Amino acid sequence: MTKLFKFLKPYTRWIILVLALTMVQAFSQLYLPDLMSEIVDKGVVGGDINFIIQTGLIMLAFSVVVSVATIIARLYGAKTGVAFARDLRRRIFVKVEGFSLHDFDQVGTSSLITRTTNDVTQVQNVMVMILTMMIFAPMMLIGGLIMALKTDIALSWIILVAAAVLGVVIGVVAGRGLPLFKSIQKKIDKVNLVLRESLTGIRVIRAFNKEKFEEARFEEANADLTGTSIKVFRIMSFMFPALMLIMNMTTVAIVWFGAHRIDSGAIQVGDMMAFQQYVMQIMFSIMMATMMFVMIPRASASAERILSVLNIENEVLEPKKPLEAKGSCGCVTFNNVSFSYKGAEKPVLKNISFEAKPGEITAIIGSTGSGKTSLVNLIPRFYDVSEGEVLVDGVDVREQGKEALRAKVGLVPQKISLFSGSIKENLQYGKSDATDAEVLSALKTAQASEFIDTLEDGINARVEQGGANFSGGQKQRLSIARALVRKPEIYIFDDSFSALDFKTDAKLRSALRKEIDHATVLIVAQRVSTVMNADRILVLDQGEIAGIGTHKELMKTCDVYKEIVASQLSEEELGDE
Ligand code: M5T
Ligand code: MG
């Protein structure tokens, strides 16, 4: 919790204002009972009307000061809290955006969402409370004590007894409630997780008839959260009446024993009334302080959850002094690259060396899981290599600025993601100021015009979340067009033609060849027909290069390639029968 205080720094001025105002508030409140006792003793008992009016006006002025100070303090306290929460959410968001794909798996998406919303709110609430109470409560406690003792020492044993009873009650309640408070946060997480999973996996759940199972799973998490919350509130609902009882008993005790003291002439009526008010102030401040101690552990559980996100070291770091690549032709060079995912035993790529030049098509083929996607993901630096180096335009990717590097790359990922919006907006992800003409020409090359022409709104047609209203092949072509519109130096097509029929595949590749003749092109594919005409084919086998060459060369030298070709030809022949 204390580690989060540093995020309050920009609001130091507001905080000082709040603290100063709560001090004013405390001083005024401590002074009021004193004035009141004088009114009673000198004014009412002594029969001095002028004194009553005079002192009454002073009291009125003090009350106005207290009200104004309280309002402003609350306002700025809340402002600080809200601004603090906004900054914190922004920090988490920016941090998460910089996460490598590996970091994501570490925390989990649903927990990340709870942490950015619910946990931040918890911390915000307590922060505001601390701000408004930090100075106020101790001042009221100590000031109240001093004033009460000054008024009548003989009655002060009542304070001791009342405080002791109060302490025991609050101690018991807090002791039982605290652990429950902490566990509530985890239970909210669980409800979110189940809800999120069943929302995103709704198709699978329906297909496998798992609705009942999911309902039960949700019910369990939900009932767990409800049960704990009810327990907490039951305990808390006992607290308020108990506190009221203690307060009222104290008042009775003061009046009872105070009356005897007045009777014996030791104190005056006003003194007793003032004493009573001071004791109330003392008890209120004890209550507020303990409330804070109840809230803080819950918030610090949240604070820890937030900090653990903020403290994840981004794996893919921006270089201190980014180097500019001299030329910008788009050459990609792998030198003895090995790579393994964090926590994995075996490397997924071993000793990869090759060069992809502009104006040429370099194809990568290999069975599923051979590491093709992992290989191309190293070029825009989604991950860092374990050994060796990846050069783009002759400079190690780790030494280039991430933004400059990624601007050179037009990636069509294997797992396509389109965003909700229009087709045009989706293409403008590739180039934010792309004109209609640019968008249309990219769609034409990607062989997407034919189906877009059938849409009523053309390029302004809506794309649903995740591109749900398009077929797999249509999505692939939109995703290709998005990379084309960017006109980058390096194109990466990760299995981007797999959902297209052979004819569209062939037409698309011949259109591409014309369009991107000056760029470096990497095509990942499973089909031999897709890669056959490439200038260079890389055959991957379990993370290692089994052969590099043209189709003709590989047919003579590379057994793995020959096997792939043979398996696909025979399949097609079988299909023809
Ligand atoms: C190669 C492992 C995966 C596989 C190997 C993306 C990814 C992969 N892997 C991880 O452990 N974590 C990851 O985030 O790496 O996977 P690939 O590079 O995706 O293989 P591919 O592209 O050749 O396969 P495919 O099916 O796309 O043709 O063992 O477990
Ligand atoms: Mg892949």
Side-chain angles (χ1 to χ4, degrees):
M1 183 87 181
T2 43
K3 287 197 192 112
L4 285 178
F5 282 146
K6 65 170 184 257
F7 297 127
L8 282 171
K9 214 168 164 201
Y11 309 107
T12 320
R13 277 205 210 145
W14 289 357
I15 295 171
I16 293 175
L17 179 70
V18 171
L19 296 184
L21 285 174
T22 50
M23 252 164 89
V24 172
Q25 201 187 337
F27 267 124
S28 314
Q29 281 196 12
L30 283 172
Y31 194 47
L32 277 173
D34 218 33
L35 287 177
M36 190 197 61
S37 101
E38 275 182 27
I39 285 190
V40 172
D41 293 340
K42 282 203 199 127
V44 179
V45 179
D48 186 346
I49 292 286
N50 279 341
F51 182 79
I52 296 183
I53 295 176
Q54 225 173 27
T55 321
L57 283 178
I58 297 176
M59 280 180 77
L60 200 65
F62 265 106
S63 308
V64 172
V65 169
V66 170
S67 311
V68 173
T70 314
I71 292 172
I72 301 179
R74 285 277 154 86
L75 179 69
Y76 276 88
K79 266 180 119 167
T80 311
V82 173
F84 163 80
R86 177 199 56 203
D87 291 358
L88 206 54
R89 279 194 296 268
R90 185 188 290 147
R91 258 166 212 273
I92 300 175
F93 186 78
V94 169
K95 183 82 190 183
V96 170
E97 273 210 318
F99 269 11
S100 79
L101 304 179
H102 172 78
D103 297 327
F104 264 106
D105 309 334
Q106 231 176 315
V107 189
T109 318
S110 53
S111 191
L112 274 178
I113 293 174
T114 331
R115 288 174 205 214
T116 321
T117 51
N118 188 302
D119 282 301
V120 171
T121 312
Q122 297 295 345
V123 176
Q124 174 194 341
N125 288 344
V126 172
M127 232 17 141
V128 173
M129 205 163 124
I130 292 180
L131 271 185
T132 39
M133 293 298 144
M134 192 164 72
I135 293 229
F136 187 67
M139 260 186 76
M140 291 301 274
L141 180 69
I142 297 170
L145 262 177
I146 295 175
M147 297 298 275
L149 292 182
K150 227 176 74 185
T151 318
D152 191 15
I153 287 204
L155 280 179
S156 56
W157 63 269
I158 299 179
I159 303 177
L160 272 183
V161 174
V165 176
L166 196 68
V168 170
V169 169
I170 292 176
V172 169
V173 171
R176 301 193 60 187
L178 265 189
L180 295 176
F181 264 132
K182 275 193 181 176
S183 70
I184 281 186
Q185 221 54 31
K186 278 206 196 91
K187 288 175 184 178
I188 294 179
D189 243 11
K190 179 80 189 177
V191 169
N192 274 354
L193 176 85
V194 176
L195 184 64
R196 217 190 102 84
E197 272 188 356
S198 50
L199 285 181
T200 48
I202 191 75
R203 286 188 182 78
V204 181
I205 293 167
R206 298 225 169 119
F208 287 93
N209 277 323
K210 282 288 183 192
E211 284 102 334
K212 282 274 169 304
F213 175 77
E214 282 298 313
E215 267 169 39
R217 210 157 75 103
F218 186 77
E219 188 52 42
E220 193 190 326
N222 198 9
D224 197 19
L225 177 61
T226 313
T228 314
S229 307
I230 288 177
K231 262 193 221 156
V232 167
F233 285 120
R234 202 179 283 152
I235 295 172
M236 287 298 142
S237 64
F238 165 75
M239 184 133 130
F240 192 65
L243 292 180
M244 287 315 286
L245 185 70
I246 298 173
M247 293 265 201
N248 290 333
M249 297 290 280
T250 314
T251 311
V252 172
I254 292 171
V255 174
W256 179 274
F257 293 102
H260 285 291
R261 299 267 301 157
I262 295 171
D263 204 24
S264 66
I267 56 170
Q268 287 180 301
V269 180
D271 289 333
M272 188 195 76
M273 287 171 74
F275 185 83
Q276 190 194 329
Q277 293 226 342
Y278 286 129
V279 173
M280 288 302 124
Q281 285 174 353
I282 293 169
M283 290 178 69
F284 262 118
S285 57
I286 294 179
M287 260 165 58
M288 284 184 301
T290 37
M291 280 301 276
M292 222 155 82
F293 284 113
V294 173
M295 301 269 293
I296 286 176
R298 185 180 181 190
S300 51
S302 289
E304 262 166 47
R305 284 155 56 90
I306 294 168
L307 277 169
S308 73
V309 174
L310 292 180
N311 285 344
I312 289 181
E313 292 266 350
N314 283 0
E315 277 169 31
V316 176
L317 290 174
E318 187 76 12
K320 290 216 180 64
K321 264 194 243 146
L323 287 179
E324 281 272 338
K326 270 169 241 111
S328 62
C329 61
C331 318
V332 174
T333 318
F334 276 59
N335 280 336
N336 278 318
V337 169
S338 295
F339 171 68
S340 44
Y341 287 103
K342 222 184 189 174
E345 283 169 25
K346 282 199 299 189
V348 281
L349 296 172
K350 274 164 278 180
N351 273 323
I352 309 281
S353 298
F354 73 93
E355 197 171 353
K357 291 199 201 83
E360 291 182 353
I361 294 181
T362 305
I364 304 168
I365 196 170
S367 52
T368 56
S370 54
K372 305 183 293 294
T373 300
S374 308
L375 188 152
V376 292
N377 278 349
L378 294 177
I379 300 169
R381 204 174 166 221
F382 291 156
Y383 297 94
D384 274 341
V385 298
S386 314
E387 270 170 56
E389 52 180 5
V390 177
L391 309 179
V392 166
D393 287 335
V395 178
D396 194 320
V397 290
R398 283 168 293 187
E399 275 156 25
Q400 305 190 26
K402 269 192 256 182
E403 226 184 297
L405 170 69
R406 287 172 187 168
K408 289 181 193 168
V409 181
L411 172 72
V412 184
Q414 186 169 19
K415 193 166 170 245
I416 291 161
S417 51
L418 296 174
F419 298 88
S420 51
S422 67
I423 291 182
K424 186 175 152 191
E425 279 164 3
N426 264 284
L427 260 66
Q428 282 174 338
Y429 251 82
K431 183 170 182 252
S432 48
D433 54 355
T435 60
D436 282 9
E438 285 175 283
V439 168
L440 282 168
S441 112
L443 288 167
K444 187 157 181 253
T445 316
Q447 307 298 310
S449 329
E450 28 162 327
F451 77 85
I452 287 180
D453 288 342
T454 67
L455 300 172
E456 211 175 291
D457 298 331
I459 55 169
N460 292 315
R462 248 199 93 66
V463 180
E464 304 284 317
Q465 193 182 10
N469 55 338
F470 289 102
S471 80
Q474 288 171 339
K475 272 191 281 193
Q476 265 187 348
R477 279 175 278 171
L478 289 178
S479 177
I480 291 170
R482 179 173 58 194
L484 284 173
V485 93
R486 187 164 211 179
K487 297 206 185 307
E489 290 133 35
I490 303 162
Y491 285 93
I492 301 174
F493 299 102
D494 189 353
D495 224 356
S496 307
F497 312 106
S498 59
L500 305 180
D501 52 60
F502 281 87
K503 204 174 111 207
T504 316
D505 181 3
K507 272 205 319 213
L508 176 64
R509 269 180 298 117
S510 78
L512 271 181
R513 220 182 229 287
K514 277 178 235 143
E515 183 72 18
I516 55 185
D517 54 351
H518 294 303
T520 306
V521 181
L522 287 122
I523 296 181
V524 172
Q526 303 267 13
R527 277 191 216 146
V528 176
S529 62
T530 311
V531 301
M532 244 165 68
N533 300 319
D535 300 288
R536 194 181 301 102
I537 303 172
L538 225 89
V539 185
L540 267 190
D541 183 32
Q542 295 183 13
E544 284 177 278
I545 293 186
I548 301 184
T550 58
H551 175 70
K552 266 193 192 150
E553 290 163 6
L554 288 169
M555 279 309 274
K556 281 184 212 136
T557 56
C558 181
D559 292 336
V560 181
Y561 188 71
K562 270 193 270 182
E563 260 173 53
I564 297 173
V565 173
S567 70
Q568 295 194 2
L569 281 180
S570 56
E571 262 171 34
E572 275 158 38
E573 280 159 11
L574 279 171
D576 284 342
E577 268 175 28

PDB file of all heavy atoms in Angstrom, residues 329-334 354-358 379 390-394 490 520 522:
ATOM      1  N   CYS A 329      16.180  -0.887 -47.176  1.00  0.00           N
ATOM      2  CA  CYS A 329      15.785  -1.740 -48.287  1.00  0.00           C
ATOM      3  C   CYS A 329      14.885  -2.864 -47.815  1.00  0.00           C
ATOM      4  O   CYS A 329      14.021  -3.325 -48.530  1.00  0.00           O
ATOM      5  CB  CYS A 329      17.030  -2.311 -48.965  1.00  0.00           C
ATOM      6  SG  CYS A 329      18.013  -3.314 -47.865  1.00  0.00           S
ATOM      7  N   GLY A 330      15.036  -3.254 -46.533  1.00  0.00           N
ATOM      8  CA  GLY A 330      14.173  -4.294 -46.008  1.00  0.00           C
ATOM      9  C   GLY A 330      14.803  -5.673 -45.982  1.00  0.00           C
ATOM     10  O   GLY A 330      14.079  -6.662 -45.953  1.00  0.00           O
ATOM     11  N   CYS A 331      16.162  -5.741 -45.997  1.00  0.00           N
ATOM     12  CA  CYS A 331      16.783  -7.066 -45.897  1.00  0.00           C
ATOM     13  C   CYS A 331      16.545  -7.639 -44.510  1.00  0.00           C
ATOM     14  O   CYS A 331      16.611  -6.924 -43.514  1.00  0.00           O
ATOM     15  CB  CYS A 331      18.295  -6.994 -46.083  1.00  0.00           C
ATOM     16  SG  CYS A 331      18.812  -5.909 -47.377  1.00  0.00           S
ATOM     17  N   VAL A 332      16.286  -8.937 -44.461  1.00  0.00           N
ATOM     18  CA  VAL A 332      16.139  -9.606 -43.173  1.00  0.00           C
ATOM     19  C   VAL A 332      17.193 -10.697 -43.106  1.00  0.00           C
ATOM     20  O   VAL A 332      17.308 -11.504 -44.015  1.00  0.00           O
ATOM     21  CB  VAL A 332      14.746 -10.248 -43.044  1.00  0.00           C
ATOM     22  CG1 VAL A 332      14.652 -11.064 -41.766  1.00  0.00           C
ATOM     23  CG2 VAL A 332      13.663  -9.196 -43.079  1.00  0.00           C
ATOM     24  N   THR A 333      18.022 -10.683 -42.034  1.00  0.00           N
ATOM     25  CA  THR A 333      19.068 -11.685 -41.910  1.00  0.00           C
ATOM     26  C   THR A 333      18.964 -12.396 -40.571  1.00  0.00           C
ATOM     27  O   THR A 333      18.844 -11.745 -39.541  1.00  0.00           O
ATOM     28  CB  THR A 333      20.468 -11.035 -42.006  1.00  0.00           C
ATOM     29  OG1 THR A 333      20.427 -10.065 -43.040  1.00  0.00           O
ATOM     30  CG2 THR A 333      21.525 -12.062 -42.293  1.00  0.00           C
ATOM     31  N   PHE A 334      18.970 -13.699 -40.577  1.00  0.00           N
ATOM     32  CA  PHE A 334      19.038 -14.487 -39.345  1.00  0.00           C
ATOM     33  C   PHE A 334      20.442 -15.061 -39.255  1.00  0.00           C
ATOM     34  O   PHE A 334      20.913 -15.692 -40.197  1.00  0.00           O
ATOM     35  CB  PHE A 334      18.025 -15.641 -39.384  1.00  0.00           C
ATOM     36  CG  PHE A 334      16.640 -15.254 -38.959  1.00  0.00           C
ATOM     37  CD1 PHE A 334      15.935 -14.266 -39.628  1.00  0.00           C
ATOM     38  CD2 PHE A 334      16.032 -15.893 -37.879  1.00  0.00           C
ATOM     39  CE1 PHE A 334      14.655 -13.909 -39.240  1.00  0.00           C
ATOM     40  CE2 PHE A 334      14.745 -15.542 -37.487  1.00  0.00           C
ATOM     41  CZ  PHE A 334      14.056 -14.558 -38.157  1.00  0.00           C
ATOM     42  N   PHE A 354      19.670 -17.549 -42.417  1.00  0.00           N
ATOM     43  CA  PHE A 354      19.260 -17.351 -43.805  1.00  0.00           C
ATOM     44  C   PHE A 354      19.157 -15.866 -44.065  1.00  0.00           C
ATOM     45  O   PHE A 354      19.282 -15.046 -43.150  1.00  0.00           O
ATOM     46  CB  PHE A 354      17.936 -18.054 -44.114  1.00  0.00           C
ATOM     47  CG  PHE A 354      16.729 -17.388 -43.506  1.00  0.00           C
ATOM     48  CD1 PHE A 354      15.997 -16.456 -44.240  1.00  0.00           C
ATOM     49  CD2 PHE A 354      16.328 -17.689 -42.212  1.00  0.00           C
ATOM     50  CE1 PHE A 354      14.892 -15.842 -43.680  1.00  0.00           C
ATOM     51  CE2 PHE A 354      15.222 -17.070 -41.660  1.00  0.00           C
ATOM     52  CZ  PHE A 354      14.506 -16.150 -42.392  1.00  0.00           C
ATOM     53  N   GLU A 355      18.947 -15.521 -45.321  1.00  0.00           N
ATOM     54  CA  GLU A 355      18.826 -14.109 -45.660  1.00  0.00           C
ATOM     55  C   GLU A 355      17.650 -13.948 -46.614  1.00  0.00           C
ATOM     56  O   GLU A 355      17.488 -14.733 -47.553  1.00  0.00           O
ATOM     57  CB  GLU A 355      20.109 -13.621 -46.323  1.00  0.00           C
ATOM     58  CG  GLU A 355      20.212 -12.124 -46.314  1.00  0.00           C
ATOM     59  CD  GLU A 355      21.596 -11.661 -46.786  1.00  0.00           C
ATOM     60  OE1 GLU A 355      22.486 -12.517 -46.976  1.00  0.00           O
ATOM     61  OE2 GLU A 355      21.758 -10.455 -46.976  1.00  0.00           O
ATOM     62  N   ALA A 356      16.801 -12.952 -46.351  1.00  0.00           N
ATOM     63  CA  ALA A 356      15.691 -12.666 -47.261  1.00  0.00           C
ATOM     64  C   ALA A 356      15.933 -11.284 -47.840  1.00  0.00           C
ATOM     65  O   ALA A 356      16.125 -10.327 -47.105  1.00  0.00           O
ATOM     66  CB  ALA A 356      14.370 -12.700 -46.503  1.00  0.00           C
ATOM     67  N   LYS A 357      15.976 -11.225 -49.194  1.00  0.00           N
ATOM     68  CA  LYS A 357      16.350  -9.955 -49.818  1.00  0.00           C
ATOM     69  C   LYS A 357      15.141  -9.287 -50.459  1.00  0.00           C
ATOM     70  O   LYS A 357      14.155  -9.946 -50.779  1.00  0.00           O
ATOM     71  CB  LYS A 357      17.397 -10.214 -50.898  1.00  0.00           C
ATOM     72  CG  LYS A 357      18.732 -10.638 -50.349  1.00  0.00           C
ATOM     73  CD  LYS A 357      19.801 -10.426 -51.405  1.00  0.00           C
ATOM     74  CE  LYS A 357      21.027 -11.283 -51.111  1.00  0.00           C
ATOM     75  NZ  LYS A 357      20.905 -12.674 -51.602  1.00  0.00           N
ATOM     76  N   PRO A 358      15.228  -7.971 -50.655  1.00  0.00           N
ATOM     77  CA  PRO A 358      14.114  -7.281 -51.315  1.00  0.00           C
ATOM     78  C   PRO A 358      13.946  -7.765 -52.756  1.00  0.00           C
ATOM     79  O   PRO A 358      14.925  -8.153 -53.402  1.00  0.00           O
ATOM     80  CB  PRO A 358      14.520  -5.817 -51.278  1.00  0.00           C
ATOM     81  CG  PRO A 358      15.890  -5.761 -50.747  1.00  0.00           C
ATOM     82  CD  PRO A 358      16.280  -7.078 -50.216  1.00  0.00           C
ATOM     83  N   ILE A 379      10.920 -11.290 -36.131  1.00  0.00           N
ATOM     84  CA  ILE A 379      11.291 -10.152 -36.970  1.00  0.00           C
ATOM     85  C   ILE A 379      10.712  -8.828 -36.430  1.00  0.00           C
ATOM     86  O   ILE A 379      11.458  -7.876 -36.247  1.00  0.00           O
ATOM     87  CB  ILE A 379      10.888 -10.400 -38.440  1.00  0.00           C
ATOM     88  CG1 ILE A 379      11.622 -11.655 -38.954  1.00  0.00           C
ATOM     89  CG2 ILE A 379      11.247  -9.196 -39.314  1.00  0.00           C
ATOM     90  CD1 ILE A 379      11.121 -12.153 -40.283  1.00  0.00           C
ATOM     91  N   VAL A 390      18.972 -11.334 -35.079  1.00  0.00           N
ATOM     92  CA  VAL A 390      18.110 -11.091 -36.224  1.00  0.00           C
ATOM     93  C   VAL A 390      18.408  -9.670 -36.684  1.00  0.00           C
ATOM     94  O   VAL A 390      18.334  -8.734 -35.891  1.00  0.00           O
ATOM     95  CB  VAL A 390      16.622 -11.197 -35.834  1.00  0.00           C
ATOM     96  CG1 VAL A 390      15.742 -10.857 -37.032  1.00  0.00           C
ATOM     97  CG2 VAL A 390      16.309 -12.580 -35.318  1.00  0.00           C
ATOM     98  N   LEU A 391      18.803  -9.506 -37.960  1.00  0.00           N
ATOM     99  CA  LEU A 391      19.109  -8.178 -38.465  1.00  0.00           C
ATOM    100  C   LEU A 391      18.033  -7.739 -39.447  1.00  0.00           C
ATOM    101  O   LEU A 391      17.592  -8.516 -40.277  1.00  0.00           O
ATOM    102  CB  LEU A 391      20.464  -8.160 -39.187  1.00  0.00           C
ATOM    103  CG  LEU A 391      21.669  -8.751 -38.466  1.00  0.00           C
ATOM    104  CD1 LEU A 391      22.909  -8.667 -39.365  1.00  0.00           C
ATOM    105  CD2 LEU A 391      21.933  -7.997 -37.170  1.00  0.00           C
ATOM    106  N   VAL A 392      17.626  -6.488 -39.311  1.00  0.00           N
ATOM    107  CA  VAL A 392      16.762  -5.896 -40.321  1.00  0.00           C
ATOM    108  C   VAL A 392      17.508  -4.680 -40.850  1.00  0.00           C
ATOM    109  O   VAL A 392      17.934  -3.836 -40.058  1.00  0.00           O
ATOM    110  CB  VAL A 392      15.397  -5.491 -39.733  1.00  0.00           C
ATOM    111  CG1 VAL A 392      14.650  -4.586 -40.697  1.00  0.00           C
ATOM    112  CG2 VAL A 392      14.561  -6.719 -39.422  1.00  0.00           C
ATOM    113  N   ASP A 393      17.701  -4.627 -42.143  1.00  0.00           N
ATOM    114  CA  ASP A 393      18.515  -3.576 -42.769  1.00  0.00           C
ATOM    115  C   ASP A 393      19.903  -3.507 -42.134  1.00  0.00           C
ATOM    116  O   ASP A 393      20.459  -2.426 -41.932  1.00  0.00           O
ATOM    117  CB  ASP A 393      17.828  -2.212 -42.646  1.00  0.00           C
ATOM    118  CG  ASP A 393      16.644  -2.105 -43.579  1.00  0.00           C
ATOM    119  OD1 ASP A 393      16.627  -2.818 -44.596  1.00  0.00           O
ATOM    120  OD2 ASP A 393      15.744  -1.313 -43.281  1.00  0.00           O
ATOM    121  N   GLY A 394      20.440  -4.657 -41.775  1.00  0.00           N
ATOM    122  CA  GLY A 394      21.805  -4.718 -41.269  1.00  0.00           C
ATOM    123  C   GLY A 394      21.973  -4.358 -39.807  1.00  0.00           C
ATOM    124  O   GLY A 394      23.086  -4.356 -39.292  1.00  0.00           O
ATOM    125  N   ILE A 490       8.930  -4.870 -45.600  1.00  0.00           N
ATOM    126  CA  ILE A 490       8.950  -6.310 -45.352  1.00  0.00           C
ATOM    127  C   ILE A 490       7.520  -6.810 -45.195  1.00  0.00           C
ATOM    128  O   ILE A 490       6.760  -6.258 -44.389  1.00  0.00           O
ATOM    129  CB  ILE A 490       9.728  -6.628 -44.054  1.00  0.00           C
ATOM    130  CG1 ILE A 490      11.149  -6.070 -44.139  1.00  0.00           C
ATOM    131  CG2 ILE A 490       9.746  -8.124 -43.787  1.00  0.00           C
ATOM    132  CD1 ILE A 490      11.837  -5.945 -42.818  1.00  0.00           C
ATOM    133  N   THR A 520      10.695  -7.072 -49.438  1.00  0.00           N
ATOM    134  CA  THR A 520      11.095  -8.396 -49.006  1.00  0.00           C
ATOM    135  C   THR A 520       9.838  -9.129 -48.577  1.00  0.00           C
ATOM    136  O   THR A 520       9.069  -8.600 -47.796  1.00  0.00           O
ATOM    137  CB  THR A 520      12.045  -8.287 -47.797  1.00  0.00           C
ATOM    138  OG1 THR A 520      13.109  -7.422 -48.156  1.00  0.00           O
ATOM    139  CG2 THR A 520      12.574  -9.638 -47.398  1.00  0.00           C
ATOM    140  N   LEU A 522       8.086 -12.616 -46.992  1.00  0.00           N
ATOM    141  CA  LEU A 522       8.207 -13.930 -46.367  1.00  0.00           C
ATOM    142  C   LEU A 522       6.834 -14.564 -46.348  1.00  0.00           C
ATOM    143  O   LEU A 522       5.874 -13.953 -45.872  1.00  0.00           O
ATOM    144  CB  LEU A 522       8.722 -13.795 -44.937  1.00  0.00           C
ATOM    145  CG  LEU A 522      10.196 -13.421 -44.824  1.00  0.00           C
ATOM    146  CD1 LEU A 522      10.367 -12.151 -44.044  1.00  0.00           C
ATOM    147  CD2 LEU A 522      10.972 -14.560 -44.201  1.00  0.00           C
TER     148      LEU A 522
END
